Amino acid sequence: MKDREVINDPVLAYRRKKAELAALGQGIKGSAKSEAILFVDLADSTTIKQKLAPEEWLDFIFGFIETIGEHAKKNKGSVVKSIGDEVMLSFDLVSDAEKFIEELLKDQDLNGKYRYKVAADYGEVYHFQFEQSLSLDPYGTAVDRCARIAKLA
């Protein structure tokens, strides 16, 4: 009988750790926040880059991103990040995201100068902050769907 090992302590430790992990999992699930996610992408930017000098196309793209950011701020949205000439935005309320889109459509200067596409979705997101200097970055099914919609637009 001396060759047999008593495993009571490891099993009890396993149970405690399992309960701790379950509590952590509930904390993660509870951190989800419903948000509207939008991607606004400048169309034909490759052609623009080929036709214009760097200082001109960079100014063009900068103006686009700046204008999108101003409209987002005015409508209680946040610029999450720009990915090339595409802007990722988040809004706490769908109604604010809708106002943002309506405002884009009414902006004659924006529509006279730029061609762009907008993709939108709503759902639960989780926020990561990969580095302290970076803003919160939403992740989740709504973000994934919105990115796919943007690619199809």
Side-chain angles (χ1 to χ4, degrees):
M1 294 273 186
K2 290 185 177 183
D3 294 343
R4 294 184 182 163
E5 188 174 336
V6 177
I7 62 165
N8 297 31
D9 289 341
V11 169
L12 292 172
Y14 172 78
R15 284 183 181 174
R16 279 192 305 275
K17 294 292 183 186
K18 194 173 170 183
E20 288 174 24
L21 287 173
L24 287 171
Q26 288 303 315
I28 291 169
K29 288 176 189 171
S31 72
K33 183 179 176 207
S34 294
E35 289 182 9
I37 301 295
L38 283 75
F39 287 95
V40 183
D41 188 26
L42 182 63
D44 301 325
S45 63
T46 302
T47 303
I48 292 165
K49 290 173 191 168
Q50 292 170 347
K51 290 182 177 180
L52 300 176
E55 64 275 13
E56 293 176 280
W57 66 259
L58 286 166
D59 179 52
F60 185 79
I61 291 171
F62 183 84
F64 173 75
I65 293 171
E66 183 179 47
T67 301
I68 298 302
E70 289 168 359
H71 281 293
K73 187 175 181 180
K74 194 185 319 182
N75 289 286
K76 302 176 188 164
S78 298
V79 173
V80 176
K81 58 186 161 186
S82 62
I83 307 152
D85 56 23
E86 182 175 53
V87 183
M88 180 182 184
L89 308 156
S90 67
F91 294 82
D92 289 337
L93 301 174
V94 170
S95 59
D96 292 334
E98 289 171 339
K99 288 176 192 171
F100 166 79
I101 294 169
E102 289 171 6
E103 217 174 88
L104 291 185
L105 295 172
K106 291 177 185 175
D107 185 333
Q108 293 179 352
D109 291 335
L110 178 71
N111 293 301
K113 189 172 184 179
Y114 302 102
R115 289 189 55 239
Y116 59 92
K117 57 187 177 180
V118 179
D121 201 355
Y122 180 79
E124 288 189 341
V125 298
Y126 301 86
H127 291 99
F128 282 104
Q129 186 175 23
F130 293 103
E131 294 182 23
Q132 285 187 346
S133 62
L134 299 176
S135 61
L136 296 178
D137 203 346
Y139 279 79
T141 306
V143 176
D144 297 343
R145 276 192 312 252
C146 193
R148 287 184 178 91
I149 293 166
K151 287 181 183 175
L152 295 172

